[in-house]
């Protein structure tokens, strides 16, 4: 994976050279001097071409895009939650490109992807500056047929073997030093083969081992409570922790 930054008059794009160049050509966005364009990060561009194939729930309304014949992308705008969203939903304080949430997430995701960890392949991000503030959006490759662990728990379709694989996956990320600050059942996806994936690395970081690892698991447990039948909660968490401790591949 080769990350490169491209400055444009209305934005700064950090992209994976290998995964984006062909797609840009297929959407008439390439030229000898400017292979990328900020319109790639605008919902209107995809909607006007009939390439929006779905929408994910949650803050920001991520869109599923038909980027290539056999590949879909996820377009996710960065949006605030909580009380601060009443002041500004999309604007963040500008402290330099490399300190934007988008650049940090792409670089972190790329580093984990290169290690073979189950994260979506990052495609690109775009940061648009407005004086002392900025807005941003992220493109990643969509995992085919994936469902959120939250959905599987609600439908009582998460068996012990799957839950153990989820626990083992989390342990792999912890061994790599990833502190996932929003580890919840919506940010764990399970593909058609039953393989778990971790998504949404916004504000996450790499750290030495510490109490944060237990904190991640406690946050996940609080999330599981919202989706799993109360009678099955103990069984579910026991399977997750067993997979985490045993760390089966």
């Amino acid at each position: 994976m080769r990350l490169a930054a491209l400055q444009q008059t209305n934005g700064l794009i950090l992209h994976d050279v290998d995964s984006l160049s062909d797609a840009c050509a297929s959407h008439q966005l390439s030229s000898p001097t400017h292979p990328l364009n900020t319109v790639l990060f605008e919902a209107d561009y995809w909607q006007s071409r009939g390439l929006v194939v779905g929408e994910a729930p949650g803050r920001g309304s991520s869109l599923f895009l038909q980027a290539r014949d056999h590949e879909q992308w996820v377009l996710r705008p960065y949006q605030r939650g909580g009380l601060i969203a009443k002041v500004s939903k999309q604007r963040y304080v500008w402290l330099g490109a490399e300190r934007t949430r988008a650049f940090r997430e792409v670089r972190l995701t790329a580093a984990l992807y290169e290690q073979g960890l189950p994260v979506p392949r990052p495609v690109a991000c775009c940061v648009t500056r407005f004086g002392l503030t900025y807005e941003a959006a992220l493109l990643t490759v969509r995992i085919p047929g994936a469902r959120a662990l939250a959905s599987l728990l609600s439908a009582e379709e998460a068996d012990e073997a799957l839950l153990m694989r989820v626990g083992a996956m989390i342990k792999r990320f912890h061994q790599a030093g990833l502190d996932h600050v929003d580890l919840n059942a919506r940010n764990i996806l399970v593909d058609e083969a039953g393989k778990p994936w971790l998504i949404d690395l916004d504000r996450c970081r790499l750290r030495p081992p510490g109490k944060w690892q237990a904190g991640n698991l406690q946050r996940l447990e609080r999330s599981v409570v919202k989706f799993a039948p109360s009678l099955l909660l103990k069984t579910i968490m026991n399977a997750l922790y067993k997979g985490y401790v045993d760390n089966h591949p």
Side-chain angles (χ1 to χ4, degrees):
M1 180 173 293
R2 297 180 296 150
L3 295 180
L6 174 69
Q7 178 71 59
Q8 294 198 330
T9 56
N10 57 340
L12 182 63
I13 298 172
L14 179 66
H15 65 287
D16 173 27
V17 176
D18 298 320
S19 70
L20 196 54
S21 56
D22 291 342
C24 287
S26 69
H27 292 295
Q28 291 78 50
L29 289 177
S30 63
S31 72
T33 56
H34 296 289
L36 301 177
N37 194 291
T38 56
V39 298
L40 196 65
F41 301 86
E42 298 174 5
D44 288 347
Y45 167 80
W46 300 93
Q47 290 169 344
S48 66
R49 287 160 175 78
L51 296 173
V52 176
V53 296
E55 184 173 342
R59 186 172 75 245
S61 298
S62 299
L63 298 179
F64 300 140
L65 316 171
Q66 194 67 50
R68 299 182 176 121
D69 290 341
H70 304 292
E71 182 176 278
Q72 294 182 1
W73 292 348
V74 181
L75 173 61
R76 191 187 88 214
Y78 285 82
Q79 294 197 359
R80 294 181 179 275
L83 294 176
I84 192 66
K86 295 182 179 180
V87 179
S88 177
K89 289 185 178 181
Q90 294 180 303
R91 295 288 177 92
Y92 299 87
V93 177
W94 175 262
L95 297 172
E98 291 297 335
R99 297 183 65 180
T100 61
R101 292 168 70 154
F103 268 51
R104 285 183 170 184
E105 183 170 1
V106 167
R107 292 202 184 280
L108 175 60
T109 306
L112 295 171
Y113 182 88
E114 288 288 284
Q115 293 180 48
L117 289 163
V119 293
R121 184 182 180 107
V123 176
C125 69
C126 180
V127 174
T128 305
R129 186 177 176 183
F130 301 91
L132 298 178
T133 63
Y134 73 92
E135 296 180 1
L138 173 71
L139 285 168
T140 56
V141 175
R142 185 183 184 188
I143 302 165
R147 296 174 60 190
L149 178 62
S151 174
L152 296 172
L153 290 171
S154 297
E156 298 185 34
E157 297 178 19
D159 60 20
E160 182 181 20
L162 170 60
L163 294 167
M164 288 181 63
R165 289 196 296 274
V166 171
M169 176 198 71
I170 295 170
K171 182 62 172 291
R172 288 182 63 197
F173 279 101
H174 281 179
Q175 289 173 330
L178 179 70
D179 178 7
H180 197 297
V181 298
D182 193 18
L183 186 62
N184 64 65
R186 287 196 180 99
N187 286 335
I188 296 172
L189 302 184
V190 180
D191 67 18
E192 295 171 323
K195 176 183 175 179
W197 299 72
L198 194 58
I199 65 170
D200 194 355
L201 303 187
D202 182 26
R203 299 180 296 115
C204 299
R205 55 177 174 162
L206 299 178
R207 305 177 63 184
K211 294 181 179 179
W212 59 267
Q213 294 165 311
N216 282 183
L217 294 171
Q218 291 165 4
R219 186 179 185 89
L220 177 59
E221 183 169 358
R222 292 194 296 270
S223 171
V224 169
V225 169
K226 300 176 183 178
F227 302 104
S230 57
L231 293 176
L232 297 178
L233 180 61
K234 184 175 181 180
T235 300
I236 290 170
M237 293 311 303
N238 283 344
L240 280 168
Y241 279 111
K242 188 176 190 304
Y244 184 88
V245 172
D246 293 347
N247 194 26
H248 296 305

